[in-house]
């Protein structure tokens, strides 16, 4: 057989796994791999980011919208360390990544060589699996195993630490495929009696309520979910990452759960007699005070990861397995049911929220532009079919509250980690993961400046990202908490911002600033019609607050509709 370098073996292994796009940044310890990549430009489209953190976040955005494994390639030491935030973020949000880091030669390990860092030790707690490739002979096996682990079961990030000697050594290459690991069972099997018990609880329930998480999207169980909801007339709410698992306008959709979710969804959580959680982990931002959360209800938890069962909320019936399969099995045993009175009980709370919060946020009579109205106008102008990408902060919360969804895999945001700076690179990845769709990024002036250098990546690749900067000259979410809980002491949250139009001009990106409500609709239309990237800066009310809000430590149904 032909002998090839380890770096070339990596390229062929990536092609064998179906990789077509990867994000990265070259450096000394990974240089042999980038040299091999030079000959694979037609099959492996490499996106040169401007910072390694962006490589990980862009790979996340790509993975979230495409359903494929995102890939990042960086060098050793600081290059690898710069991806750590993205690895942790992907672990929290169950995003399949393979991050390949260069490393010093095996003979130099442990000597504190130039740009040597113990990547395996550092990433072990924040990755699904990691492995140090010290021999070229192990490359095909390690890559096949990495992709299998990253995408199977509950997805997550895998880190491969690739020593320089393994990149340069010559080997006879044979591609490998991994679809079984003896010690790893990605999908638990659910006994028939558990399915029967779950169906029985649903059939006996008078006031069922379903919590829809991102696990539905990851499993591709959207249709099974809707069929169960409609057959048993179960009202539902969604986690932030699960918002596009079902259409926003579905009559049984009661909105987003959690701290800044819908009033009706949160209040009725503590009034239902059966809580059905699907592919979600009972995050503290969803439950509020865990001691009082849904204590009146029996709980069914559809989950692929056994470690999530009873971790936060005690489960009556745990339905372990792939929810695409388990929902379908339960559906067969569920009786067609009507819960008209129960469903109608959500309406007064929804109407109250509409009057006190939603209408003022979306239809202000005068004054500065508001974040909610900007988000809704962009969503509607894109026919509610666009992908929503957000950074973290008020832009994220207003975005998730007021953007509307008609298609699955349409929410890309940093949920568990809440990583500022996530938005811009994740939006870049989204445009490569779903090139036939419109990607709309909502970002604040704080988060934007954490990864603003990625405008260079957008310039070079001409990624057609529609960037909407909601500029309030504050770290808005921190300011809101300071307003509510720290006696309005705005400690280091006001921001002096640069001239973003000049910055965009330097990067050759079309840009417009809107300060007047009368100009907003035409500016949005111009942005969406523009062929290529577009930066729309909207000057919004400086002290706009996200409502409703469950104060930290409060019961989930103790939501504030106004701040005095």
């Amino acid at each position: 057989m032909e002998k090839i370098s380890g770096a070339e073996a990596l390229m062929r292994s990536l092609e064998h796994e179906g990789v077509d796009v990867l994000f990265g940044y070259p450096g000394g310890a990974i240089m042999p791999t980038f040299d091999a990549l030079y000959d694979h430009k037609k099959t492996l489209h490499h996106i040169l980011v401007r910072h390694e953190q962006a490589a990980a976040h862009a790979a996340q955005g790509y993975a979230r919208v495409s359903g494929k494994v995102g890939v990042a390639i960086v060098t050793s030491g600081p290059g690898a360390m710069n991806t750590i935030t993205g690895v942790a973020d992907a672990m929290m949000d169950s995003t399949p990544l393979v991050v390949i880091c260069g490393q010093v030669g095996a003979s130099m390990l442990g000597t504190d060589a130039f740009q040597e860092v113990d990547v395996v030790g550092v990433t072990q707690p924040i990755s699904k699996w990691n492995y140090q490739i010290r021999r070229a002979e192990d490359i095909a096996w390690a890559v096949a195993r990495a992709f299998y682990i990253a995408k199977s079961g509950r997805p997550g990030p895998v880190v491969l630490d690739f020593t320089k000697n393994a990149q340069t050594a010559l080997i006879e290459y044979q591609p490998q495929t991994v679809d079984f690991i003896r010690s790893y069972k990605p999908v638990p099997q659910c006994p028939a009696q558990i399915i029967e018990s779950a169906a029985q609880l649903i059939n006996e329930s008078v006031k069922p309520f379903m919590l829809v998480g991102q696990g539905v999207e990851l499993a591709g169980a959207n249709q099974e979910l809707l069929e169960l909801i409609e057959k048993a007339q179960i009202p539902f709410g969604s986690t932030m990452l699960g918002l596009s698992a079902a259409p926003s306008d579905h009559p049984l959709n009661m909105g987003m759960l959690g701290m800044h979710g819908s009033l009706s969804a949160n209040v009725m959580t503590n009034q239902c007699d059966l809580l059905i959680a699907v592919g979600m982990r009972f995050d503290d931002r969803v439950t509020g005070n865990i001691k009082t959360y849904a204590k009146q209800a029996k709980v069914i938890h559809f989950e692929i990861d056994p470690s999530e069962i009873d971790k936060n909320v005690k489960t009556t019936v745990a339905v372990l397995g792939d929810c695409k399969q388990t929902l379908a099995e339960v559906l067969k045993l569920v009786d067609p049911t009507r819960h008209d009175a129960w469903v109608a009980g959500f309406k007064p709370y929804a109407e109250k929220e509409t009057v006190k919060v939603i209408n003022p946020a979306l239809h202000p009579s005068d004054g500065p532009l508001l974040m909610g109205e900007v988000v809704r106008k962009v969503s509607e102008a894109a026919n509610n079919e666009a992908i929503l990408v957000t950074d973290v902060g008020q832009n994220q919360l207003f975005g998730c509250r007021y953007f509307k969804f008609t298609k699955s895999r349409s929410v890309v945001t940093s949920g568990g980690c809440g990583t500022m700076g996530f938005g811009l690179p994740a939006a870049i990845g989204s445009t490569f993961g779903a090139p036939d769709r419109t990607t709309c990024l909502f970002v604040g002036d704080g988060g934007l400046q954490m990864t603003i250098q990625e405008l260079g990546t957008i310039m070079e690749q001409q990624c057609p990202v529609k960037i909407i900067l909601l500029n309030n000259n504050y770290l808005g979410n921190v300011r809101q908490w300071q307003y509510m809980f720290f006696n309005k002491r705005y400690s280091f949250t006001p921001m002096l911002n640069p001239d973003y139009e000049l910055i965009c001009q330097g990067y050759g990106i079309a840009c417009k600033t809107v300060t007047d409500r009368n100009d907003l609709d035409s500016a949005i239309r111009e942005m969406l019609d523009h062929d290529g990237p577009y930066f729309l800066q909207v000057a919004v009310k400086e002290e706009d607050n996200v409502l409703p809000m469950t104060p930290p430590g409060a019961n989930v149904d103790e939501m504030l509709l106004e701040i005095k």
Side-chain angles (χ1 to χ4, degrees):
M1 292 178 63
E2 172 195 14
K3 284 197 171 185
I4 61 174
S5 70
E8 175 65 22
L10 174 64
M11 296 301 107
R12 298 188 188 185
S13 295
L14 293 176
E15 290 171 344
H16 182 66
E17 292 295 334
V19 174
D20 54 0
V21 177
L22 43 91
F23 306 86
Y25 203 97
I30 199 68
M31 207 174 295
T33 291
F34 273 84
D35 184 65
L37 182 58
Y38 190 85
D39 296 323
H40 292 260
K41 292 180 180 179
K42 292 183 179 179
T43 53
L44 296 172
H45 185 191
H46 176 264
I47 311 304
L48 177 66
V49 296
R50 297 324 192 240
H51 189 281
E52 292 92 351
Q53 180 181 348
H57 291 328
Q60 287 177 271
Y62 173 88
R64 293 269 281 272
V65 300
S66 69
K68 300 177 182 179
V69 178
V71 180
I73 299 184
V74 300
T75 194
S76 64
M81 291 301 97
N82 283 343
T83 69
I84 295 301
T85 300
V87 174
D89 196 295
M91 189 68 175
M92 290 285 280
D93 286 350
S94 303
T95 304
L97 292 190
V98 171
V99 177
I100 301 165
C101 306
Q103 183 55 281
V104 301
S107 64
M108 302 290 287
L109 290 170
T111 67
D112 290 334
F114 178 67
Q115 293 192 332
E116 181 195 359
V117 169
D118 182 4
V119 173
V120 170
V122 170
T123 60
Q124 189 171 20
I126 57 169
S127 61
K128 192 175 176 185
W129 183 63
N130 64 13
Y131 183 76
Q132 188 174 74
I133 304 174
R134 298 186 181 186
R135 306 186 316 144
E137 291 82 358
D138 297 333
I139 292 169
W141 169 86
V143 171
R145 189 180 179 99
F147 275 80
Y148 174 63
I149 292 173
K151 66 187 177 184
S152 61
R154 181 179 181 175
V158 170
V159 177
L160 294 178
D161 195 33
F162 198 12
T163 62
K164 199 166 186 178
N165 62 286
Q167 298 173 53
T168 57
L170 298 178
I171 56 165
E172 295 179 348
Y173 170 74
Q174 184 68 38
Q176 292 193 29
T177 299
V178 172
D179 55 15
F180 172 77
I181 299 173
R182 185 174 61 181
S183 59
Y184 171 56
K185 296 181 179 179
V187 182
Q189 297 302 306
C190 188
Q193 60 265 33
I194 296 295
I195 298 293
E196 293 167 2
S197 297
Q200 183 178 351
L201 283 180
I202 294 172
N203 288 336
E204 293 173 351
S205 173
V206 177
K207 298 186 290 184
F209 186 48
M210 183 175 286
L211 314 180
V212 177
Q214 187 193 197
V216 173
E217 298 261 58
L218 296 175
N222 308 67
Q223 187 59 40
E224 290 79 4
L225 176 85
L226 286 174
E227 289 181 13
L228 178 58
I229 284 169
E230 291 167 358
K231 184 176 183 180
Q233 200 190 17
I234 303 172
F236 67 95
S238 301
T239 66
M240 183 178 287
L241 297 185
L243 282 170
S244 64
S248 300
D249 61 357
H250 193 286
L252 292 171
N253 191 340
M254 301 304 165
M256 188 168 73
L257 302 162
M259 177 176 280
H260 290 288
S262 300
L263 178 64
S264 64
N266 284 286
V267 169
M268 299 305 261
T269 296
N270 275 5
Q271 294 185 21
C272 67
D273 63 7
L274 178 65
L275 200 63
I276 308 165
V278 187
M280 55 88 69
R281 58 188 177 86
F282 290 109
D283 177 76
D284 62 286
R285 287 295 171 101
V286 167
T287 65
N289 182 2
I290 199 73
K291 294 180 180 179
T292 61
Y293 181 76
K295 292 302 180 183
Q296 79 293 339
K298 295 179 179 179
V299 178
I300 301 174
H301 196 171
F302 288 83
E303 179 57 54
I304 200 168
D305 183 355
S307 70
E308 292 295 344
I309 301 299
D310 295 336
K311 185 176 80 175
N312 295 323
V313 172
K314 181 66 177 176
T315 301
T316 309
V317 175
V319 185
L320 282 169
D322 185 327
C323 66
K324 185 175 180 65
Q325 300 170 357
T326 54
L327 285 172
E329 291 300 313
V330 169
L331 178 66
K332 296 175 185 176
L333 304 178
V334 166
D335 300 329
T337 313
R338 301 294 300 176
H339 297 106
D340 293 332
W342 165 240
V343 173
F346 287 77
K347 188 175 181 180
Y349 297 105
E351 290 176 343
K352 185 176 182 181
E353 181 182 348
T354 297
V355 170
K356 285 189 165 289
V357 177
I358 296 176
N359 283 344
L362 298 184
H363 309 292
S365 56
D366 55 16
L369 283 157
L370 302 180
M371 296 190 213
E373 68 173 313
V374 177
V375 170
R376 179 59 61 85
K377 282 181 177 292
V378 172
S379 180
E380 291 177 346
N383 298 317
N384 298 326
E385 295 178 344
I387 294 169
L388 168 70
V389 183
T390 82
D391 204 83
V392 169
Q394 288 185 318
N395 64 88
Q396 175 186 42
L397 301 170
F398 277 111
C400 290
R401 276 189 57 82
Y402 294 116
F403 211 79
K404 296 298 178 183
F405 307 99
T406 56
K407 296 183 177 181
S408 63
R409 290 192 175 273
S410 294
V411 180
V412 182
T413 191
S414 175
C417 260
T419 303
M420 289 182 69
F422 172 89
L424 195 58
I428 291 170
S430 173
T431 65
F432 288 100
D436 58 333
R437 299 185 63 190
T438 300
T439 292
C440 293
L441 165 66
F442 289 90
V443 63
D445 41 312
L448 173 64
Q449 293 184 79
M450 288 195 171
T451 49
I452 195 170
Q453 73 282 343
E454 297 312 314
L455 291 175
T457 306
I458 292 174
M459 173 186 67
E460 182 171 15
Q461 299 294 331
Q462 282 300 293
C463 310
V465 182
K466 310 306 178 186
I467 304 166
I468 303 97
L469 169 61
L470 301 173
N471 193 346
N472 59 5
N473 297 303
Y474 271 105
L475 297 176
N477 207 43
V478 182
R479 182 211 53 78
Q480 179 171 335
W481 281 53
Q482 289 172 336
Y483 179 91
M484 296 176 66
F485 309 118
F486 292 88
N487 298 317
K488 303 180 183 178
R489 289 159 56 88
Y490 296 158
S491 180
F492 300 100
T493 46
M495 295 197 74
L496 178 63
N497 281 304
D499 187 328
Y500 291 109
E501 288 198 29
L502 280 177
I503 291 173
C504 288
Q505 182 180 342
Y507 283 108
I509 296 173
C511 179
K512 175 170 282 190
T513 298
V514 173
T515 59
D516 191 307
R517 183 168 284 111
N518 295 325
D519 300 328
L520 182 60
D521 288 341
S522 61
I524 291 172
R525 190 71 267 158
E526 179 180 320
M527 174 185 71
L528 294 175
D529 290 342
H530 182 77
D531 184 17
Y534 195 102
F535 190 106
L536 178 62
Q537 177 178 210
V538 184
V540 295
K541 182 180 178 181
E542 287 194 346
E543 297 193 32
D544 198 2
N545 294 315
V546 188
L547 292 167
M549 179 179 183
T550 301
N555 300 337
V556 70
D557 53 359
E558 295 177 339
M559 299 199 81
L560 302 177
L561 297 182
E562 58 185 346
I563 300 175
K564 298 180 180 179

